[in-house]
Amino acid sequence: MAVLFLLFLLTVSVVSADEDGFIGVNIGTAISDMPSPTQVVALLKAQNIRHVRLYDADRALLLALANTGIRVTVSVPNDQILGIGQSNATAANWVARNVIAHVPATNITAIAVGSEILTTLPNAAPVLVSALKFIHSALVASNLDGQIKVSTPHSSSIILDSFPPSQAFFNRSWDPVMVPLLKFLQSTGSYFMLNAYPYYDYMQSNGVIPLDYALFRPLPPDKEAVDANTLLHYTNVFDAIVDAAYFAMSYLNFTNVPIFVTESGWPSKGDSSEPDATLENANTYNSNLIRHVLNNTGTPKHPKIAVSTYIYELYNEDLRPGAISEKNWGLFDADGMPVYTLHLTGAGTVLANDTTNQTFCVAKEGADPKMLQAALDWACGPGKVDCSYLLQGQPCYEPDNVVAHSTYAFNAYFQKMAKSPGTCDFKGHGSCIFPGSAGRNGSLPNTTSLAPSSNSTTSGCHSVYIYGAGSFTTSVIIGVLLMSVFFL
């Protein structure tokens, strides 16, 4: 009877979500040539990204986000937790300076108090819940607690014995923190923030976890992981991590706190010890993750309950210390160029391939070569376009003529500036090209597919675009030209 009652507790719970699942992005700042706040917001708007998480509360970026409608999660940096957790006044000052000063123009919807405090800054753990309560009290005093939730992101490593998920439990040494934390989240209608990285679970499994299982690739039924206690079938690591957190909360008798995944992703590059940190795997994981979340698939324990997720991260961070992979989680490089083009075909109407805004900047037919060369020199100099691909021996050197090289540079600058008006005006020698009409007027011919292909190459200048008569034939970077990364 006791076993049956335990199974009942493990399989029955009540979790609700206020809205359909969304995909957001994290914005880090460990970048040598950090884009300006205006450029960051321009990229977010161009890609229809409606949810962002900041690792601080940068004033310039919050001002740039004003009147965009983009939902923003701001963060209390770890080095401020001790001060805020020990002083109600310090917390109130932080909220006044970093939140109240910006709303309602900037749509701040959540505050993440620290990041992975229990595992990275354990000496601050005793005041973590106090910090959340003090921050929340300041919001209440300003009548903002209804629109801004307060929580704190956790590493999934605080969950022990995570498979099968029904056996998972939080590290018991953190019960004095976790129980009051969950009570706070429950009483304020907030959510449990979880950083979920199937990449690391896969890497640390010593071959036990199949790569396809980590990447959301379809598995035959006999390869699916089955929780023997609940008979729930798991087709991917992400769902198993999320359900392990749900079960761990249920062991502490909390069954109505929803989970938001505040970080998840896959690195696109690694060293010899990380052979599966590749462009293709990063593309596959993030594409499948986006589809999984936006379809409101939920998890085996909570089907149809959305697991909103922030992808780690918007930009590659070349200044981040550690392994090569640590620098290469971004969807874009710092210049706004996509690291890869996501495989989003069939992900729904919002994430369907863009057929209306595939805008490119190319050299104008008949332009004076000397003027083109001058504009090319400007783009590769003051314009800060990375023109290294145009050097002899590099992927975009051929064809070696000013038309092809200037087109590459013009379009790189145009995309870098998120297609802002005026950024394709190189003294009258550029033209914005809209695909979908006849190839003769300079747009892409109808026979050229704009859909991201799972078979596309992943580096260098590849895939030839044939422009109509009167224009030119050249090789260009798919990753540069196909700006078809879309988010809710």
Side-chain angles (χ1 to χ4, degrees), residues 6-310:
L6 174 61
L7 285 178
F8 176 80
L9 288 177
L10 291 176
T11 56
V12 177
S13 60
V14 180
V15 173
S16 61
D18 294 333
E19 58 181 329
D20 288 342
F22 65 76
I23 284 288
V25 294
N26 290 276
I27 301 178
T29 57
I31 303 170
S32 57
D33 189 16
M34 182 69 191
S36 70
T38 301
Q39 290 173 317
V40 172
V41 173
L43 179 60
L44 294 173
K45 291 168 69 175
Q47 299 305 321
N48 199 28
I49 298 171
R50 307 303 302 165
H51 298 261
V52 299
R53 175 185 169 219
L54 312 182
Y55 286 95
D56 50 23
D58 182 78
R59 181 176 182 273
L61 189 50
L62 288 174
L63 289 173
L65 286 163
N67 304 311
T68 63
I70 294 172
R71 294 189 169 196
V72 183
T73 294
V74 296
S75 300
V76 178
N78 282 6
D79 60 6
Q80 297 182 38
I81 298 297
L82 284 172
I84 288 175
Q86 298 177 82
S87 169
N88 206 336
T90 301
N93 288 336
W94 190 94
V95 171
R97 185 174 62 256
N98 298 296
V99 178
I100 297 173
H102 297 282
V103 296
T106 302
N107 189 17
I108 298 175
T109 58
I111 300 174
V113 181
S115 180
E116 301 187 350
I117 292 295
L118 300 185
T119 50
T120 63
L121 196 66
N123 63 309
V127 300
L128 177 60
V129 177
S130 294
L132 270 72
K133 289 180 176 179
F134 290 159
I135 292 284
H136 183 258
S137 294
L139 295 175
V140 171
S142 299
N143 200 29
L144 292 173
D145 56 301
Q147 72 181 67
I148 301 176
K149 302 299 182 184
V150 181
S151 187
T152 183
H154 298 282
S155 167
S156 61
S157 65
I158 67 170
I159 304 170
L160 303 182
D161 201 11
S162 58
F163 199 89
S166 63
Q167 294 181 189
F169 58 93
F170 294 123
N171 186 327
R172 295 288 165 75
S173 64
W174 294 123
D175 279 2
V177 176
M178 193 60 64
V179 172
L181 170 63
L182 292 171
K183 286 182 178 178
F184 169 81
L185 299 178
Q186 184 180 63
S187 65
T188 60
S190 190
Y191 33 80
F192 187 86
M193 291 180 169
L194 178 69
N195 295 342
Y197 286 104
Y199 173 74
Y200 289 124
D201 287 77
Y202 164 73
M203 288 289 291
Q204 295 164 9
S205 74
N206 296 317
V208 174
I209 295 178
L211 180 61
D212 287 347
Y213 182 54
L215 293 173
F216 290 93
R217 284 177 176 151
L219 297 171
D222 62 328
K223 297 295 184 181
E224 293 178 1
V226 180
D227 187 324
N229 295 323
T230 62
L231 301 184
L232 294 174
H233 287 237
Y234 288 86
T235 61
N236 62 81
V237 176
F238 179 86
D239 282 351
I241 295 173
V242 172
D243 272 0
Y246 274 129
F247 278 112
M249 285 193 286
S250 72
Y251 270 120
L252 296 178
N253 297 317
F254 293 91
T255 59
N256 58 353
V257 178
I259 289 175
F260 272 27
V261 172
T262 35
E263 294 179 16
S264 192
W266 197 282
S268 60
K269 185 186 295 185
D271 57 27
S272 58
S273 67
E274 296 180 286
D276 294 300
T278 67
L279 281 168
E280 183 60 26
N281 287 343
N283 193 335
T284 297
Y285 179 82
N286 281 326
S287 297
N288 288 336
L289 172 64
I290 291 168
R291 185 178 299 110
H292 187 69
V293 170
L294 295 184
N295 286 346
N296 294 318
T297 306
T299 66
K301 180 172 172 57
H302 292 299
K304 305 303 181 183
I305 300 298
V307 182
S308 294
T309 300
Y310 292 86

